[in-house]
């Protein structure tokens, strides 16, 4: 890794996490296309490199939630129970079943387009609603664990840890953001630790670019660590509606870009 690539990775992690941290997302879901298209990380090494970003960038936000007691509820345990084994399965699938770049771009488009559209529509609907929202019954513990395992598999394939998918889904099912955000970030962090380690072990038995790009992952992660801290400081001063709409637009744009590349 050259100095220019390292600085670019640091800047990308910093800028992305400044925007995503205020809404409880690590930012890895948006960093991955930057690593593929700008920094030139090959497939499938980009997935563990992105997981390494989560490992380095996550502790700042987790420390803040730990001090406020946000990590003590049962939701954190349920999410970790599902996502950790799921990410191992996803890593194996990523290495041995979906190594091609075309399939990888298709996965990006399939994951990001619905997520971005859902974020935008839900945010606009909430902004236009005048009547107070009714409480939703939420999900059973078993359903939460099953969902977490499915998202963990997707996270192992995609390199996002799973939290950025779990958060919107659980909030959409009626859980408060203040409860979901710490648990989703904790699941993202622990799943990323296990996922990055799984890829490192698989690199010993399989050929190709499977191990993380350690230097670049650390550079992006340090940027994310700083950006996450700044984002948390800026969060009270930024309108939540505008941030969620921005995240939705970014997801739609990135997913659309890869969809166009598949069609060409």
């Amino acid at each position: 890794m050259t100095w220019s690539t390292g600085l670019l990775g640091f800047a990308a992690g910093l800028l992305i996490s400044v925007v995503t941290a205020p809404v409880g997302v690590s930012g890895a879901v948006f960093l991955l296309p930057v690593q593929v298209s700008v920094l030139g990380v090959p497939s499938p090494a980009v997935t563990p490199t992105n997981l390494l970003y989560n490992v380095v960038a996550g502790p700042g936000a987790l420390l803040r939630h730990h001090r406020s007691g946000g990590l003590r509820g049962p939701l954190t345990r349920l999410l970790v129970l599902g996502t950790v084994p799921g990410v191992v399965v996803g890593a194996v699938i990523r290495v041995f079943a979906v190594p091609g770049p075309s399939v990888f771009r298709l996965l990006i488009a399939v994951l990001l387009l619905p997520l971005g559209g859902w974020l935008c529509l839900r945010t606009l609907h909430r902004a236009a609603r005048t009547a107070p929202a009714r409480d939703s019954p939420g999900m059973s513990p078993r359903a939460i664990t099953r969902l977490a395992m499915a998202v963990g598999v997707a996270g192992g394939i995609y390199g996002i840890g799973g939290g950025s998918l779990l958060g919107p889904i659980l909030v959409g099912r009626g859980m408060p953001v203040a409860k979901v955000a710490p648990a989703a970030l904790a699941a993202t962090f622990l799943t990323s630790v296990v996922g990055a380690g799984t890829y490192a072990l698989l690199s010993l038995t399989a050929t190709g670019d499977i191990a993380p790009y350690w230097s670049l992952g650390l550079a992006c992660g340090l940027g994310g660590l700083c950006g996450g801290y700044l984002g948390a400081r800026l969060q009270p001063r930024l309108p939540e509606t505008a941030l969620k709409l921005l995240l939705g637009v970014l997801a739609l744009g990135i997913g659309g870009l890869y969809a166009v590349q598949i069609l060409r």
Side-chain angles (χ1 to χ4, degrees):
M1 182 186 71
T2 64
W3 281 104
S4 60
T5 302
L7 289 175
L8 186 58
F10 179 88
L14 174 67
L15 294 175
I16 291 172
S17 59
V18 165
V19 176
T20 59
V23 294
V25 177
S26 70
V29 67
F30 302 112
L31 179 64
L32 185 141
V34 176
Q35 293 192 39
V36 172
S37 302
V38 179
L39 300 177
V41 181
S43 173
V46 64
T47 302
T49 303
N50 217 37
L51 292 172
L52 180 60
Y53 162 82
N54 281 335
V55 173
V56 178
L62 288 178
L63 178 60
R64 182 176 69 252
H65 287 302
H66 175 70
R67 289 177 176 175
S68 64
L71 298 175
R72 298 174 185 171
L75 182 60
T76 301
R77 293 191 295 272
L78 292 174
L79 295 186
V80 171
L81 183 64
T83 55
V84 168
V87 76
V88 176
V89 175
V92 174
I93 293 173
R94 180 71 182 91
V95 171
F96 296 106
V98 222
S102 297
V103 178
F104 190 39
R105 291 190 182 103
L106 177 61
L107 287 173
I108 294 175
V110 168
L111 284 170
L112 286 185
L113 284 172
L115 178 60
W118 184 86
L119 280 172
C120 290
L121 291 175
R122 181 170 179 271
T123 302
L124 291 172
H125 176 70
R126 277 190 149 187
R129 190 169 52 193
T130 56
R134 296 181 179 179
D135 293 334
S136 171
M139 300 174 64
S140 68
R142 181 176 295 181
I144 291 173
T145 302
R146 288 175 178 173
L147 171 65
M149 181 170 290
V151 171
V153 172
I157 297 172
Y158 187 43
I160 59 176
S164 57
L165 297 176
L166 282 171
I169 294 172
L170 292 176
V171 171
R173 292 300 302 268
M175 292 188 179
V177 177
K179 180 180 179 181
V180 170
L185 287 171
T188 296
F189 175 73
L190 292 176
T191 302
S192 298
V193 171
V194 174
T198 301
Y199 274 99
L201 290 176
L202 289 173
S203 68
L204 301 177
T205 60
T207 59
D209 293 305
I210 298 172
Y213 275 34
W214 296 100
S215 298
L216 183 59
L218 290 172
C220 294
L222 289 174
L225 185 67
C226 299
Y229 176 80
L230 293 175
R233 292 291 300 269
L234 290 172
Q235 193 269 340
R237 302 177 176 86
L238 299 174
E240 184 177 359
T241 299
L243 285 172
K244 288 185 176 181
L245 280 175
L246 176 59
L247 288 174
V249 170
L250 284 173
L252 284 171
I254 295 169
L257 173 63
Y258 282 102
V260 170
Q261 291 180 352
I262 293 170
L263 296 175
R264 287 181 177 177

